[in-house]
Amino acid sequence: MSLRGRTLVATILVLTGLGTGQAQAQQHAGPVPLTRQQAYAQAAKAYHVPENLLLAVSYLESRWDANKGLPSTGGGFGPMHLVDGTLVPAGEHFADGDEDPRGDTSRPALHPKAPASAARAAGQAAQTLQEAARITGETPGTLRTDPAANIRGGAALLARYQQDLGKPLSADPAAWYAATVRYGGTDWFAGQVYDVIRTGASRTTDDGQRVALPADPAVRTAARAANDSETECPRDLGCEWIPAPYQQISPNGPTDYGNHDLGDRPKSQKIDFIVIHDTEGYYPNDVRMVQDPTYLGWNYTVRSADGHVAQHLKAKDVGWQAGNWYINSKSIGIEHEGFLAQGGTWYTEAMYRSSSELVRYLARRFHVPLDRAHILGHDNVPGTVPSTVQNMHEDPGPYWDWAHYFDLLHRPLHASAGRHSGEVMILPDYDTNVVPYTGCDAKNPSAACPPHGGGSIMLRTEPHDDAPLVKDIGKHPTTGGTATMSVYDHSARAATGQTYAVADRQGDWTAIWYLGQKAWFHNPRTQPTAVGARGLVAVAKPGATSVPVYGRAYPEAEAYPAGVPVQTLVPMQYTFAAGQAYAVVGSELGEYYYSKLFDRTGATVVKGKLRYYEIQFGHRVYFVKADDVNLKPAW
């Protein structure tokens, strides 16, 4: 220990009343590790930052997680998301070009390749990690990996920002509004910080630390974030208008245009779904690509670090975002900056909050039910025909916290029936539901992912832990349906908020009907992973041996006018056999939006009388004709 270090220890011991012998014993034993809660308290005291402000800023950035020293999509580290602006990531959502995101055969299939990725822009506060290192004297490496040092670095930055603004280091958190804006990057972020202070929060972090922020309803600020005038967003979200181009791709003819279709929703078609994506890429590149007419368009992008929202398409227009034209034409697509294999570490609270505020607004405006049958992940969207299932996307993946998201939507997920109901809702405890996935390391895909909580459970062929996983012949057509533990493979998983018909029970195990088979999961009474649900289930009509399952709810042939090609109703490769039951989660009348030419000549919405039921058939939803099934109460 240096002379300076020995002097500092001696001073502390004099102040605390410890004697020399006690001091020597304590030095020999080493420092007592701080709890995460203590780290916030000490950092706040050291830099004269209100402790509740420091906690709230950190909660918005990381939910107080250390994230194992791994960088965020914005190049940030640790509980305070200190940004290393020198990092240059790569990768994009449709980079492989193996899926037709429009999902329709009325025009040539679109297989866009992502443009060459540029270096990530510096972000909301370029190189704040290096700035914190200069202020605190800590090394950048320590700030990346030591949570307590990272928290001190964040406190030091807030204090420096407050001083740069010529303001005192006040004990009143409301006096720090401008410094909070500078730290987070937007007025909306700062407003959410004060909302967290008012409501309070508590949780157990990714490394087992219990942290709490008591509510202080009296804190008020004049937070206001203005939306661009072109945007369709809730007031004060601070949405930016970055339009996607509707443009013909010359000289390839009138059927080659991009990167979306014009429409007249909800007048022409009801919007029934909101699709949650992650970008598998970085915000600056994503907004650059959505402005490329040769790529594809979606409605909104949400930035990870601060929850900033950009709108690209009006709600009336149809984005090419879900790989299923029926879903595209009846949905709004929201992309979230991030990677599904890293989602447990860096789907930020700021992003969850701005996204949920946006979804609440859209659901109210277009009367979209706030449930998991209508707020879909991209991984819940069905394939259109058997050949498309294999390449359908898996985002936002098992680390998206659906339970927390629905809390923020003000529609908390909960039991609606007793534990012996004939239907269950999947609802594991996110923080303790640690599934041993593989595939998070692209260089070593067989390696185990870092342990982390999640919102999905694995499904097996028998009621025991070492039984094989159930099969998905659509996702794995060349291996007989064999599922894997890859984080990218959802074929033997059920996700939080999804409801299924119960097929059987044995002790602590529950079986559900899933892709034509019994699928077992561990569901102990002391720590349940599913709760009772109340609803209707679909069963085959008497005399039928099986029921066709469809990826699109298209009209009957008689509904199509002259000039609009009849869309063939192609059953999927799965079996819905007599004796099985599937939860009915929605109802649709057959509908098809025909749009083939750039000038919209002949564009028509075909509406039929054929009714379909949306069912939770596997990890994805599918459709059955109402005429093919009977409904009965699950309870």
Side-chain angles (χ1 to χ4, degrees):
M1 182 182 287
S2 66
L3 176 61
R4 181 183 177 209
R6 288 195 298 272
T7 303
L8 178 60
V9 169
T11 302
I12 291 172
L13 295 173
V14 168
L15 291 173
T16 57
L18 293 175
T20 304
Q22 291 171 293
Q24 291 174 344
Q26 186 161 321
Q27 287 181 56
H28 184 71
V32 177
L34 293 176
T35 66
R36 189 69 44 79
Q37 190 86 50
Q38 291 170 331
Y40 287 108
Q42 290 196 9
K45 184 176 181 180
Y47 290 97
H48 306 287
V49 177
E51 185 178 345
N52 57 356
L53 179 80
L54 184 63
L55 281 161
V57 169
S58 181
Y59 186 75
L60 261 291
E61 293 283 17
S62 69
R63 298 178 75 192
W64 304 322
D65 285 342
N67 291 322
K68 302 175 179 63
L70 299 172
S72 75
T73 55
F77 290 84
M80 297 302 299
H81 195 253
L82 300 180
V83 176
D84 184 343
T86 65
L87 297 181
V88 181
E92 303 299 343
H93 191 37
F94 286 94
D96 295 333
D98 57 0
E99 179 192 342
D100 175 9
R102 191 175 189 266
D104 181 34
T105 56
S106 70
R107 48 160 284 167
L110 175 79
H111 296 290
K113 283 281 188 180
S117 295
R120 178 184 52 78
Q124 106 274 21
Q127 300 193 34
T128 56
L129 186 138
Q130 285 79 8
E131 186 179 356
R134 288 191 293 271
I135 298 172
T136 63
E138 300 281 8
T139 67
T142 300
L143 291 172
R144 291 188 192 101
T145 57
D146 183 339
N150 187 275
I151 291 166
R152 290 194 298 274
L157 284 175
L158 279 166
R160 173 63 56 85
Y161 296 161
Q162 184 78 344
Q163 291 171 325
D164 288 348
L165 291 163
K167 297 179 181 294
L169 301 180
S170 170
D172 179 8
W176 291 70
Y177 177 79
T180 305
V181 172
R182 181 174 173 186
Y183 193 102
T186 65
D187 284 283
W188 181 87
F189 179 94
Q192 290 300 298
V193 165
Y194 288 95
D195 187 56
V196 172
I197 293 174
R198 284 190 290 272
T199 61
S202 63
R203 71 180 295 263
T204 300
T205 66
D206 60 345
D207 51 356
Q209 296 282 319
R210 188 68 186 170
V211 182
L213 168 60
D216 184 358
V219 172
R220 289 288 181 270
T221 65
R224 189 173 184 84
N227 295 323
D228 283 356
S229 60
E230 290 289 322
T231 60
E232 298 163 306
C233 284
R235 193 177 60 140
D236 298 343
L237 188 57
C239 289
E240 181 180 9
W241 178 242
I242 304 177
Y246 184 72
Q247 185 174 316
Q248 186 166 346
I249 312 301
S250 298
N252 297 331
T255 64
D256 193 0
Y257 59 90
N259 57 16
H260 60 278
D261 276 279
L262 302 182
D264 190 22
R265 304 183 307 177
K267 182 179 178 181
S268 61
Q269 289 183 283
K270 185 179 183 301
I271 295 171
D272 286 332
F273 307 98
I274 297 171
V275 182
I276 304 298
H277 304 253
D278 78 46
T279 61
E280 295 297 306
Y282 299 90
Y283 180 85
N285 287 341
D286 298 326
V287 297
R288 185 178 299 115
M289 288 188 299
V290 82
Q291 296 174 83
D292 182 348
T294 67
Y295 197 56
L296 53 115
W298 54 89
N299 298 85
Y300 299 87
T301 304
V302 186
R303 192 161 60 201
S304 173
D306 57 3
H308 177 65
V309 175
Q311 183 175 358
H312 315 296
L313 299 178
K314 297 288 190 178
K316 70 181 181 65
D317 297 327
V318 179
W320 301 349
Q321 39 97 14
N324 182 317
W325 181 244
Y326 176 78
I327 299 293
N328 279 344
S329 66
K330 296 181 70 64
S331 71
I332 289 172
I334 304 176
E335 293 276 3
H336 298 77
E337 182 187 21
F339 298 85
L340 74 85
Q342 301 172 15
T345 50
W346 286 112
Y347 287 149
T348 67
E349 179 67 11
M351 186 167 70
Y352 278 133
R353 283 178 171 250
S354 62
S355 175
S356 61
E357 189 171 331
L358 175 62
V359 168
R360 282 203 317 272
Y361 163 83
L362 294 170
R364 284 194 304 268
R365 182 178 175 188
F366 299 112
H367 308 289
V368 179
L370 286 174
D371 59 40
R372 284 287 280 114
H374 297 87
I375 311 300
L376 297 172
H378 195 180
D379 53 352
N380 307 135
V381 173
T384 54
V385 294
S387 61
T388 65
V389 174
Q390 187 175 12
N391 289 325
M392 294 298 287
H393 279 213
E394 300 90 357
D395 58 292
Y399 294 130
W400 184 268
D401 193 344
W402 285 109
H404 180 57
Y405 195 63
F406 271 79
D407 285 344
L408 294 172
L409 289 172
H410 303 164
R411 289 292 190 277
L413 303 173
H414 56 80
S416 57
R419 59 187 300 267
H420 295 294
S421 173
E423 188 172 305
V424 291
M425 175 190 286
I426 307 302
L427 194 59
D429 178 74
Y430 182 93
D431 293 329
T432 60
N433 181 48
V434 179
V435 177
Y437 297 118
T438 60
C440 292
D441 183 350
K443 296 180 180 178
N444 187 11
S446 62
C449 294
H452 198 283
S456 292
I457 59 173
M458 303 307 297
L459 302 172
R460 301 188 178 275
T461 56
E462 299 289 342
H464 48 87
D465 288 324
D466 57 354
L469 297 173
V470 296
K471 295 180 181 296
D472 184 344
I473 59 174
K475 182 69 174 175
H476 302 286
T478 62
T479 62
T482 303
T484 72
M485 291 298 297
S486 169
V487 71
Y488 294 99
D489 184 359
H490 61 258
S491 55
R493 293 202 299 249
T496 292
Q498 294 177 327
T499 55
Y500 294 90
V502 173
D504 203 351
R505 287 186 172 93
Q506 288 188 27
D508 285 343
W509 288 78
T510 300
I512 55 176
W513 291 115
Y514 186 95
L515 297 178
Q517 64 206 303
K518 278 188 181 182
W520 292 89
F521 63 95
H522 195 222
N523 187 28
R525 185 170 187 172
T526 55
Q527 193 174 2
T529 51
V531 296
R534 186 177 181 87
L536 297 174
V537 298
V539 297
K541 284 197 168 181
T545 57
S546 65
V547 176
V549 176
Y550 302 95
R552 303 169 292 188
Y554 280 168
E556 65 278 10
E558 298 76 17
Y560 290 81
V564 177
V566 174
Q567 300 299 297
T568 305
L569 298 176
V570 181
M572 306 306 289
Q573 60 267 66
Y574 303 111
T575 300
F576 174 169
Q580 299 178 2
Y582 293 91
V584 175
V585 293
S587 177
E588 303 279 336
L589 285 175
E591 196 169 283
Y592 173 59
Y593 178 30
Y594 176 66
S595 182
K596 182 178 180 178
L597 302 176
F598 173 70
D599 65 4
R600 302 190 70 215
T601 299
T604 305
V605 176
V606 182
K607 297 188 178 184
K609 298 179 180 179
L610 182 60
R611 180 166 294 281
Y612 293 82
Y613 295 125
E614 179 189 357
I615 61 171
Q616 190 67 59
F617 189 63
H619 187 80
R620 302 185 187 275
V621 296
Y622 281 93
F623 301 96
V624 293
K625 294 179 185 178
D627 291 342
D628 290 339
V629 297
N630 285 335
L631 304 187
K632 66 177 187 178
W635 58 93

